[in-house]
Amino acid sequence: MTKRHWESAIPGLLALAGLMLASCGGGQATPATPQGSSAAAPASLQAVIDGALKEGKLVLIWGEGAVGGAEGARQLGAGLNKRYGLNLDVQFTPGPAMPDLAAKVLQEFLANRPASTDVLIGSEAHFPALIQAKGLEVVDWPSWSENVKNPKLLGTPDGQAVKIASRTPGVTYNATRISGDAVPKNMQDLLKPQYKGRLASTPYAAMFDRLASDEWWGEQRTYDYVTKLSAQASGLIRCGEDQRVASGEFDLFALDCGQDSSLRARAKGAPLSQVVPTDAAALVYWYMGVPKNAAHPNAAKLFIEFLMGRQGQDIMYETSFDDNHLLPGSHLAEPISKLQAQGVTFKEIDIAWVQRNDEQKIDRVRKQLQDILAKK
């Protein structure tokens, strides 16, 4: 046997020796070593792994557009099992829109029924009600997690939510019809005469209710701007309907819900690009949390832990073009850093932002902005 072959055989021989010792009463079996690790998992992480092993199952529900949908869930489940030496039965079911699923999980918690999903995914708008109701697990991630050590990755100080992915809402445009100096750089550029009749916005006034907060543009400035933008727009489309821009029905779409949608479309050959307006640059996040009434809470926490590692983040990016710019190796970190180097300041729109602002006021402002865009 060559030295190379001998060295490659050592791990297997050591494992066999350990099994023989255990079977002969010569010692206790050691905890499972997560694949890819150089040593056994810390006791705190091993406790979560052992808990997931006992649960044996993980139930996931979210929309097909989130985290790669069914394919993303399949790859993440397989990676999770391989990484931690498990054989969890990972069941994914396409579910309703995020607001509806969050409301359903809250209702289930209040009714003392098991949660429909072991892992809840949503935006900053979907978590505060569950947090207020104490319907999510409080998790001390840094005490056991290998991937969620940075406090900036937490959506709440007590770990009820984890920022799994970053979003930069902006302007999606048809790159075959708009290029070079014609590409808008800021929100004011969208009001130029050359864009009249070529632009679409959303029926739900995406991001404009955030701009209208006292922390940012304020109500009156936002109302004035959206009134002018409405005069420019020739239609309203939903986030994800990028084909209507790619086909030339519209040349621009503002504001969109993030870069991921246009990146997915471009990967399929659509002539789309996205630009972040320098005067309305926002960092928004997708979050995950574990409902207190989850049937498989350890498996759920371990799933989030895996997703926040490089392998999990790469799977998410490959299937949905989402990842977290705060994590090493992020695909989205470079474009964000480039804009910051140019002097662009991003406004953090997170769970804390929603909690600081009056919900009734946000709803009132959003309704007025929607009416303006609908030209009522």
Side-chain angles (χ1 to χ4, degrees):
M1 180 180 288
T2 67
K3 180 180 179 183
R4 181 178 178 184
H5 288 163
W6 170 253
E7 289 176 344
S8 66
I10 288 175
L13 292 172
L14 288 176
L16 178 60
L19 289 172
M20 292 175 65
L21 283 171
S23 64
C24 295
Q28 294 182 343
T30 57
T33 301
Q35 294 187 30
S37 298
S38 58
S44 52
L45 172 57
Q46 188 64 47
V48 179
I49 296 172
D50 292 343
L53 179 64
K54 291 178 182 177
E55 291 165 356
K57 188 175 180 180
L58 179 64
V59 176
L60 303 173
I61 296 178
W62 54 65
E64 279 290 0
V67 199
E71 179 59 20
R74 185 192 67 78
Q75 291 191 33
L76 288 166
L80 166 72
N81 278 327
K82 184 176 181 181
R83 174 76 175 87
Y84 299 109
L86 298 172
N87 190 28
L88 296 178
D89 177 15
V90 181
Q91 298 181 357
F92 172 77
T93 304
M98 290 180 184
D100 297 332
L101 183 58
K104 183 178 182 181
V105 170
L106 176 58
Q107 291 170 358
E108 290 166 339
F109 171 72
L110 295 175
N112 200 28
R113 299 197 307 269
S116 298
T117 180
D118 291 322
V119 177
L120 179 68
I121 182 172
S123 75
E124 76 284 352
H126 308 136
F127 273 72
L130 271 158
I131 291 171
Q132 185 175 4
K134 303 186 185 303
L136 295 171
E137 288 272 5
V138 172
V139 183
D140 184 7
W141 294 94
S143 71
W144 63 271
S145 169
E146 296 179 325
N147 300 318
V148 190
K149 296 291 188 186
N150 184 350
K152 292 182 178 180
L153 297 173
L154 298 178
T156 60
D158 58 4
Q160 293 183 64
V162 175
K163 299 173 180 175
I164 63 162
S166 314
R167 291 185 290 139
T168 53
V171 181
T172 297
Y173 63 93
N174 186 315
T176 61
R177 300 170 69 90
I178 296 178
S179 60
D181 292 339
V183 176
K185 296 178 178 60
N186 53 52
M187 299 294 283
Q188 293 305 310
D189 282 349
L190 295 174
L191 303 180
K192 291 179 178 179
Q194 70 223 50
Y195 297 130
K196 188 174 179 63
R198 303 169 62 188
L199 183 147
S201 192
T202 63
Y204 29 81
M207 287 304 300
F208 288 114
D209 57 340
R210 280 34 180 155
L211 279 171
S213 72
D214 294 337
E215 299 180 24
W216 212 348
W217 281 18
E219 286 185 50
Q220 194 55 55
R221 178 184 172 188
T222 306
Y223 288 145
D224 292 345
Y225 178 85
V226 172
T227 299
K228 295 174 183 176
L229 186 73
S230 179
Q232 293 279 87
S234 58
L236 301 176
I237 63 176
R238 298 178 180 277
C239 289
E241 294 184 330
D242 306 270
Q243 185 56 39
R244 298 179 69 178
V245 180
S247 68
E249 180 182 353
F250 303 101
D251 291 344
L252 306 104
F253 175 39
L255 289 166
D256 60 33
C257 295
Q259 76 294 328
D260 53 331
S261 186
S262 61
L263 287 173
R264 285 196 296 270
R266 189 165 67 189
K268 296 177 181 178
L272 295 180
S273 288
Q274 193 231 33
V275 61
V276 176
T278 57
D279 53 350
L283 269 173
V284 194
Y285 300 94
W286 294 127
Y287 299 86
M288 278 185 176
V290 182
K292 273 189 179 176
N293 50 334
H296 314 99
N298 288 287
K301 286 185 282 188
L302 203 60
F303 178 86
I304 296 172
E305 163 72 0
F306 176 74
L307 180 61
M308 295 300 286
R310 189 66 261 153
Q311 184 184 357
Q313 289 280 297
D314 285 343
I315 290 172
M316 181 164 58
Y317 189 82
E318 289 164 6
T319 56
S320 70
F321 289 91
D322 283 316
D323 72 11
N324 190 314
H325 78 287
L326 296 171
L327 291 169
S330 165
H331 300 267
L332 300 179
E334 183 178 353
I336 291 173
S337 297
K338 186 176 180 180
L339 286 170
Q340 290 173 327
Q342 295 170 359
V344 176
T345 300
F346 282 86
K347 183 73 173 176
E348 290 262 347
I349 304 296
D350 52 16
I351 290 174
W353 183 93
V354 175
Q355 294 172 327
R356 287 195 305 269
N357 286 270
D358 183 275
E359 186 177 358
Q360 291 184 340
K361 180 180 177 181
I362 295 173
D363 289 342
R364 172 182 58 79
V365 169
R366 184 185 304 114
K367 180 64 168 62
Q368 289 184 254
L369 292 168
Q370 289 170 351
D371 288 346
I372 294 172
L373 287 170
K375 302 177 183 178
K376 291 184 179 178

